[in-house]
Short mmCIF file of all heavy atoms in Angstrom, two decimals:
data_model
loop_
_atom_site.label_atom_id
_atom_site.label_comp_id
_atom_site.label_asym_id
_atom_site.label_seq_id
_atom_site.Cartn_x
_atom_site.Cartn_y
_atom_site.Cartn_z
N LEU B 1001 -6.09 -3.18 3.52
CA LEU B 1001 -6.35 -2.11 2.53
C LEU B 1001 -5.33 -0.97 2.65
O LEU B 1001 -5.12 -0.43 3.68
CB LEU B 1001 -7.75 -1.62 2.72
CG LEU B 1001 -8.06 -0.36 1.81
CD1 LEU B 1001 -8.15 -0.73 0.35
CD2 LEU B 1001 -9.45 0.20 2.17
N ASN B 1002 -4.73 -0.67 1.46
CA ASN B 1002 -3.99 0.51 1.33
C ASN B 1002 -4.60 1.44 0.27
O ASN B 1002 -4.82 0.98 -0.87
CB ASN B 1002 -2.47 0.25 0.93
CG ASN B 1002 -1.73 1.48 0.62
OD1 ASN B 1002 -1.29 1.65 -0.49
ND2 ASN B 1002 -1.59 2.39 1.55
N VAL B 1003 -4.97 2.66 0.71
CA VAL B 1003 -5.50 3.70 -0.28
C VAL B 1003 -4.30 4.41 -0.84
O VAL B 1003 -3.69 5.19 -0.11
CB VAL B 1003 -6.56 4.55 0.50
CG1 VAL B 1003 -7.12 5.50 -0.58
CG2 VAL B 1003 -7.69 3.77 1.12
N SER B 1004 -4.15 4.26 -2.14
CA SER B 1004 -2.98 4.98 -2.83
C SER B 1004 -3.43 6.33 -3.30
O SER B 1004 -4.34 6.42 -4.19
CB SER B 1004 -2.49 4.04 -3.90
OG SER B 1004 -1.50 4.76 -4.56
N SER B 1005 -2.98 7.35 -2.73
CA SER B 1005 -3.36 8.69 -3.11
C SER B 1005 -2.41 9.27 -4.16
O SER B 1005 -2.81 10.30 -4.81
CB SER B 1005 -3.42 9.58 -1.89
OG SER B 1005 -2.23 9.68 -1.35
N GLY B 1006 -1.23 8.81 -4.25
CA GLY B 1006 -0.31 9.36 -5.20
C GLY B 1006 0.43 10.55 -4.72
O GLY B 1006 1.41 11.16 -5.34
N ASN B 1007 0.08 11.07 -3.51
CA ASN B 1007 0.76 12.23 -2.96
C ASN B 1007 1.43 11.98 -1.72
O ASN B 1007 1.61 12.85 -0.80
CB ASN B 1007 -0.29 13.38 -2.81
CG ASN B 1007 -1.41 13.02 -1.90
OD1 ASN B 1007 -1.42 12.00 -1.29
ND2 ASN B 1007 -2.24 14.03 -1.58
N SER B 1008 1.81 10.69 -1.47
CA SER B 1008 2.58 10.28 -0.34
C SER B 1008 3.89 10.96 -0.19
O SER B 1008 4.58 11.32 -1.19
CB SER B 1008 2.77 8.75 -0.34
OG SER B 1008 3.75 8.46 0.61
N HIS B 1009 4.36 11.19 1.05
CA HIS B 1009 5.66 11.83 1.24
C HIS B 1009 6.81 10.93 0.87
O HIS B 1009 7.95 11.35 0.70
CB HIS B 1009 5.82 12.22 2.84
CG HIS B 1009 5.76 11.08 3.67
ND1 HIS B 1009 4.73 10.32 3.99
CD2 HIS B 1009 6.85 10.49 4.34
CE1 HIS B 1009 5.11 9.23 4.79
NE2 HIS B 1009 6.36 9.34 4.99
N MET B 1010 6.39 9.62 0.62
CA MET B 1010 7.48 8.67 0.32
C MET B 1010 7.70 8.65 -1.27
O MET B 1010 6.76 8.75 -1.93
CB MET B 1010 7.06 7.18 0.65
CG MET B 1010 7.20 6.91 2.12
SD MET B 1010 7.07 5.17 2.53
CE MET B 1010 7.55 5.06 4.16
N ILE B 1011 8.98 8.50 -1.61
CA ILE B 1011 9.26 8.40 -3.03
C ILE B 1011 9.06 7.01 -3.53
O ILE B 1011 8.87 6.05 -2.71
CB ILE B 1011 10.76 8.86 -3.31
CG1 ILE B 1011 11.67 8.02 -2.51
CG2 ILE B 1011 10.98 10.36 -2.96
CD1 ILE B 1011 13.20 8.22 -2.96
N GLY B 1012 8.97 6.90 -4.81
CA GLY B 1012 8.61 5.65 -5.48
C GLY B 1012 9.30 4.30 -4.88
O GLY B 1012 8.52 3.42 -4.43
N PRO B 1013 10.57 4.14 -4.73
CA PRO B 1013 11.22 2.91 -4.30
C PRO B 1013 10.84 2.58 -2.77
O PRO B 1013 10.59 1.47 -2.43
CB PRO B 1013 12.73 3.23 -4.43
CG PRO B 1013 12.83 4.16 -5.49
CD PRO B 1013 11.63 5.14 -5.39
N GLU B 1014 10.80 3.76 -2.03
CA GLU B 1014 10.42 3.56 -0.53
C GLU B 1014 8.94 3.00 -0.43
O GLU B 1014 8.66 2.09 0.29
CB GLU B 1014 10.51 4.88 0.19
CG GLU B 1014 11.92 5.34 0.43
CD GLU B 1014 11.93 6.64 1.26
OE1 GLU B 1014 11.29 7.62 0.66
OE2 GLU B 1014 12.57 6.75 2.29
N ARG B 1015 8.10 3.59 -1.36
CA ARG B 1015 6.69 3.18 -1.30
C ARG B 1015 6.54 1.66 -1.68
O ARG B 1015 5.92 0.96 -1.06
CB ARG B 1015 5.92 4.10 -2.22
CG ARG B 1015 4.39 4.05 -2.06
CD ARG B 1015 3.57 5.18 -2.56
NE ARG B 1015 3.99 5.43 -3.98
CZ ARG B 1015 4.46 6.67 -4.41
NH1 ARG B 1015 4.70 7.68 -3.58
NH2 ARG B 1015 4.79 6.81 -5.72
N GLU B 1016 7.33 1.32 -2.75
CA GLU B 1016 7.27 0.00 -3.15
C GLU B 1016 7.75 -1.05 -2.18
O GLU B 1016 7.29 -2.15 -1.93
CB GLU B 1016 8.13 -0.17 -4.54
CG GLU B 1016 7.44 0.50 -5.82
CD GLU B 1016 6.02 -0.06 -5.99
OE1 GLU B 1016 5.89 -1.38 -6.01
OE2 GLU B 1016 5.09 0.70 -6.25
N GLN B 1017 8.77 -0.58 -1.46
CA GLN B 1017 9.34 -1.42 -0.33
C GLN B 1017 8.37 -1.69 0.74
O GLN B 1017 8.17 -2.76 1.22
CB GLN B 1017 10.69 -0.80 0.20
CG GLN B 1017 11.38 -1.65 1.12
CD GLN B 1017 12.71 -1.05 1.64
OE1 GLN B 1017 12.93 0.16 1.43
NE2 GLN B 1017 13.49 -1.82 2.22
N LYS B 1018 7.65 -0.54 1.11
CA LYS B 1018 6.58 -0.74 2.12
C LYS B 1018 5.52 -1.57 1.59
O LYS B 1018 5.03 -2.49 2.41
CB LYS B 1018 5.99 0.69 2.35
CG LYS B 1018 6.73 1.41 3.51
CD LYS B 1018 6.31 0.74 4.91
CE LYS B 1018 7.13 1.50 5.94
NZ LYS B 1018 7.01 0.71 7.28
N LEU B 1019 5.09 -1.45 0.48
CA LEU B 1019 3.98 -2.31 -0.14
C LEU B 1019 4.43 -3.77 -0.09
O LEU B 1019 3.64 -4.63 0.25
CB LEU B 1019 3.68 -1.90 -1.50
CG LEU B 1019 2.73 -0.67 -1.74
CD1 LEU B 1019 2.63 -0.15 -3.20
CD2 LEU B 1019 1.37 -0.91 -1.18
N GLU B 1020 5.69 -4.05 -0.48
CA GLU B 1020 6.24 -5.43 -0.43
C GLU B 1020 6.24 -5.96 0.96
O GLU B 1020 5.89 -7.15 1.24
CB GLU B 1020 7.60 -5.33 -0.88
CG GLU B 1020 8.08 -6.80 -1.35
CD GLU B 1020 7.22 -7.43 -2.38
OE1 GLU B 1020 6.72 -6.81 -3.37
OE2 GLU B 1020 7.02 -8.63 -2.29
N GLN B 1021 6.57 -5.17 1.98
CA GLN B 1021 6.55 -5.57 3.35
C GLN B 1021 5.12 -6.04 3.82
O GLN B 1021 4.86 -7.02 4.48
CB GLN B 1021 7.05 -4.58 4.30
CG GLN B 1021 8.51 -4.26 4.27
CD GLN B 1021 9.02 -3.11 5.12
OE1 GLN B 1021 8.26 -2.51 5.84
NE2 GLN B 1021 10.24 -2.80 5.03
N TRP B 1022 4.17 -5.13 3.40
CA TRP B 1022 2.79 -5.40 3.82
C TRP B 1022 2.30 -6.69 3.07
O TRP B 1022 1.53 -7.53 3.72
CB TRP B 1022 1.89 -4.15 3.54
CG TRP B 1022 2.23 -3.02 4.26
CD1 TRP B 1022 2.97 -2.97 5.35
CD2 TRP B 1022 1.96 -1.66 3.77
NE1 TRP B 1022 3.03 -1.62 5.79
CE2 TRP B 1022 2.51 -0.79 4.86
CE3 TRP B 1022 1.32 -1.10 2.82
CZ2 TRP B 1022 2.38 0.59 4.81
CZ3 TRP B 1022 1.11 0.33 2.72
CH2 TRP B 1022 1.66 1.10 3.63
N LYS B 1023 2.70 -6.86 1.85
CA LYS B 1023 2.24 -8.03 1.04
C LYS B 1023 2.81 -9.37 1.75
O LYS B 1023 2.07 -10.35 1.93
CB LYS B 1023 2.71 -8.03 -0.36
CG LYS B 1023 1.87 -7.08 -1.21
CD LYS B 1023 2.60 -6.97 -2.64
CE LYS B 1023 1.90 -5.93 -3.48
NZ LYS B 1023 2.55 -5.76 -4.81
N LEU B 1024 3.97 -9.32 2.14
CA LEU B 1024 4.69 -10.38 2.84
C LEU B 1024 3.92 -10.75 4.20
O LEU B 1024 3.64 -11.89 4.54
CB LEU B 1024 6.10 -10.19 3.14
CG LEU B 1024 6.97 -10.27 1.93
CD1 LEU B 1024 8.45 -9.78 2.24
CD2 LEU B 1024 7.12 -11.70 1.38
N LEU B 1025 3.59 -9.71 4.98
CA LEU B 1025 2.78 -9.97 6.18
C LEU B 1025 1.42 -10.53 5.93
O LEU B 1025 0.97 -11.45 6.60
CB LEU B 1025 2.56 -8.62 6.95
CG LEU B 1025 3.68 -8.21 7.94
CD1 LEU B 1025 3.41 -6.98 8.68
CD2 LEU B 1025 3.91 -9.32 9.01
N ALA B 1026 0.72 -9.99 4.80
CA ALA B 1026 -0.52 -10.51 4.43
C ALA B 1026 -0.42 -12.04 4.02
O ALA B 1026 -1.34 -12.82 4.38
CB ALA B 1026 -1.07 -9.67 3.24
N GLU B 1027 0.58 -12.38 3.38
CA GLU B 1027 0.79 -13.73 2.96
C GLU B 1027 0.98 -14.65 4.23
O GLU B 1027 0.48 -15.76 4.32
CB GLU B 1027 1.97 -13.96 2.10
CG GLU B 1027 1.74 -13.45 0.74
CD GLU B 1027 3.00 -13.50 -0.15
OE1 GLU B 1027 4.04 -14.10 0.27
OE2 GLU B 1027 3.09 -12.84 -1.24
N GLN B 1028 1.76 -14.10 5.23
CA GLN B 1028 2.06 -14.87 6.45
C GLN B 1028 0.68 -15.07 7.13
O GLN B 1028 0.53 -16.26 7.82
CB GLN B 1028 3.02 -14.06 7.35
CG GLN B 1028 4.44 -14.25 6.96
CD GLN B 1028 5.29 -13.72 8.00
OE1 GLN B 1028 4.95 -13.71 9.18
NE2 GLN B 1028 6.51 -13.36 7.66
N PHE B 1029 -0.15 -14.11 7.18
CA PHE B 1029 -1.46 -14.21 7.89
C PHE B 1029 -2.62 -14.58 7.13
O PHE B 1029 -3.74 -14.48 7.53
CB PHE B 1029 -1.69 -12.79 8.55
CG PHE B 1029 -0.70 -12.36 9.62
CD1 PHE B 1029 -0.36 -11.07 9.66
CD2 PHE B 1029 -0.13 -13.23 10.40
CE1 PHE B 1029 0.51 -10.59 10.59
CE2 PHE B 1029 0.85 -12.82 11.37
CZ PHE B 1029 1.14 -11.51 11.49
N ASN B 1030 -2.29 -15.19 5.85
CA ASN B 1030 -3.42 -15.61 4.98
C ASN B 1030 -4.52 -14.51 4.82
O ASN B 1030 -5.69 -14.86 4.79
CB ASN B 1030 -4.06 -16.85 5.54
CG ASN B 1030 -3.18 -18.13 5.53
OD1 ASN B 1030 -2.35 -18.18 4.64
ND2 ASN B 1030 -3.27 -19.00 6.45
N ALA B 1031 -4.03 -13.28 4.64
CA ALA B 1031 -4.85 -12.16 4.50
C ALA B 1031 -4.98 -11.78 2.99
O ALA B 1031 -4.00 -11.90 2.30
CB ALA B 1031 -4.49 -10.97 5.35
N ALA B 1032 -6.13 -11.16 2.69
CA ALA B 1032 -6.20 -10.59 1.28
C ALA B 1032 -5.66 -9.16 1.29
O ALA B 1032 -6.03 -8.33 2.17
CB ALA B 1032 -7.67 -10.62 0.86
N PHE B 1033 -4.69 -8.82 0.38
CA PHE B 1033 -4.10 -7.51 0.38
C PHE B 1033 -4.71 -6.72 -0.81
O PHE B 1033 -4.58 -7.16 -1.90
CB PHE B 1033 -2.51 -7.70 0.35
CG PHE B 1033 -1.90 -6.35 0.32
CD1 PHE B 1033 -1.84 -5.62 1.54
CD2 PHE B 1033 -1.24 -5.84 -0.86
CE1 PHE B 1033 -1.19 -4.40 1.63
CE2 PHE B 1033 -0.53 -4.69 -0.75
CZ PHE B 1033 -0.49 -3.94 0.40
N ILE B 1034 -5.22 -5.56 -0.47
CA ILE B 1034 -5.82 -4.74 -1.49
C ILE B 1034 -5.13 -3.35 -1.56
O ILE B 1034 -5.04 -2.68 -0.52
CB ILE B 1034 -7.37 -4.56 -1.19
CG1 ILE B 1034 -8.08 -5.94 -1.04
CG2 ILE B 1034 -8.05 -3.71 -2.19
CD1 ILE B 1034 -9.38 -5.78 -0.28
N VAL B 1035 -4.82 -3.02 -2.76
CA VAL B 1035 -4.33 -1.68 -3.05
C VAL B 1035 -5.27 -0.94 -3.90
O VAL B 1035 -5.56 -1.39 -5.07
CB VAL B 1035 -2.89 -1.64 -3.65
CG1 VAL B 1035 -2.48 -0.26 -3.93
CG2 VAL B 1035 -1.82 -2.31 -2.83
N GLU B 1036 -5.88 0.15 -3.39
CA GLU B 1036 -7.01 0.77 -4.15
C GLU B 1036 -6.60 2.29 -4.44
O GLU B 1036 -6.21 2.98 -3.48
CB GLU B 1036 -8.29 0.75 -3.33
CG GLU B 1036 -9.47 1.28 -4.03
CD GLU B 1036 -10.02 0.30 -4.98
OE1 GLU B 1036 -9.66 -0.84 -5.04
OE2 GLU B 1036 -10.95 0.58 -5.75
N LYS B 1037 -6.61 2.68 -5.67
CA LYS B 1037 -6.30 4.13 -5.97
C LYS B 1037 -7.40 4.97 -5.49
O LYS B 1037 -8.57 4.65 -5.80
CB LYS B 1037 -6.03 4.21 -7.50
CG LYS B 1037 -4.87 3.53 -7.97
CD LYS B 1037 -4.47 3.82 -9.45
CE LYS B 1037 -3.07 3.27 -9.84
NZ LYS B 1037 -2.90 3.44 -11.27
N GLN B 1038 -6.99 6.15 -4.89
CA GLN B 1038 -7.96 7.02 -4.28
C GLN B 1038 -8.77 7.77 -5.49
O GLN B 1038 -9.94 7.94 -5.40
CB GLN B 1038 -7.34 7.93 -3.46
CG GLN B 1038 -8.24 8.90 -2.76
CD GLN B 1038 -7.55 9.97 -1.83
OE1 GLN B 1038 -6.59 9.60 -1.28
NE2 GLN B 1038 -8.19 11.08 -1.66
N GLY B 1039 -7.96 8.18 -6.36
CA GLY B 1039 -8.67 9.02 -7.46
C GLY B 1039 -9.27 10.24 -6.98
O GLY B 1039 -8.63 10.95 -6.13
N LYS B 1040 -10.40 10.56 -7.33
CA LYS B 1040 -11.04 11.80 -6.84
C LYS B 1040 -11.91 11.59 -5.62
O LYS B 1040 -12.65 12.47 -5.15
CB LYS B 1040 -12.01 12.40 -8.02
CG LYS B 1040 -11.12 12.94 -9.19
CD LYS B 1040 -12.11 13.39 -10.22
CE LYS B 1040 -11.22 13.95 -11.44
NZ LYS B 1040 -12.07 14.54 -12.50
N ARG B 1041 -11.88 10.38 -5.12
CA ARG B 1041 -12.70 10.00 -3.96
C ARG B 1041 -11.92 10.41 -2.69
O ARG B 1041 -10.77 10.42 -2.54
CB ARG B 1041 -12.89 8.47 -3.89
CG ARG B 1041 -13.73 7.95 -5.04
CD ARG B 1041 -13.86 6.41 -4.99
NE ARG B 1041 -12.48 5.82 -5.29
CZ ARG B 1041 -12.24 4.51 -5.33
NH1 ARG B 1041 -13.24 3.70 -5.01
NH2 ARG B 1041 -11.13 4.11 -5.53
N LYS B 1042 -12.76 10.64 -1.62
CA LYS B 1042 -12.22 10.70 -0.27
C LYS B 1042 -11.74 9.42 0.27
O LYS B 1042 -12.35 8.36 -0.15
CB LYS B 1042 -13.14 11.43 0.70
CG LYS B 1042 -13.50 12.84 0.34
CD LYS B 1042 -14.56 13.39 1.38
CE LYS B 1042 -14.93 14.75 1.07
NZ LYS B 1042 -15.92 15.26 1.95
N PRO B 1043 -10.74 9.33 1.14
CA PRO B 1043 -10.31 8.02 1.64
C PRO B 1043 -11.42 7.22 2.32
O PRO B 1043 -11.48 6.06 2.24
CB PRO B 1043 -9.09 8.44 2.67
CG PRO B 1043 -8.63 9.68 2.07
CD PRO B 1043 -9.82 10.42 1.50
#
């Protein structure tokens, strides 16, 4: 699970690259990869 808050210190391309790395690892490990927007909720 990655909770996307929209206020990460990473800029767009860096963030997308990280997400892609995590997706690839998830595929290798047969894991479900979830990106959830935080919105007004606490993490």
Side-chain angles (χ1 to χ4, degrees):
L1001 170 66
N1002 171 244
V1003 180
S1004 176
S1005 63
N1007 61 359
S1008 166
H1009 66 286
M1010 283 190 173
I1011 61 174
E1014 287 180 307
R1015 191 160 54 237
E1016 288 303 314
Q1017 189 178 12
K1018 269 289 178 190
L1019 283 170
E1020 196 57 38
Q1021 287 176 3
W1022 298 340
K1023 285 177 186 175
L1024 287 171
L1025 270 181
E1027 286 174 12
Q1028 282 194 24
F1029 295 144
N1030 291 330
F1033 184 67
I1034 304 165
V1035 178
E1036 188 78 7
K1037 288 186 177 178
Q1038 181 179 334
K1040 295 182 180 179
R1041 297 171 293 177
K1042 293 179 179 179

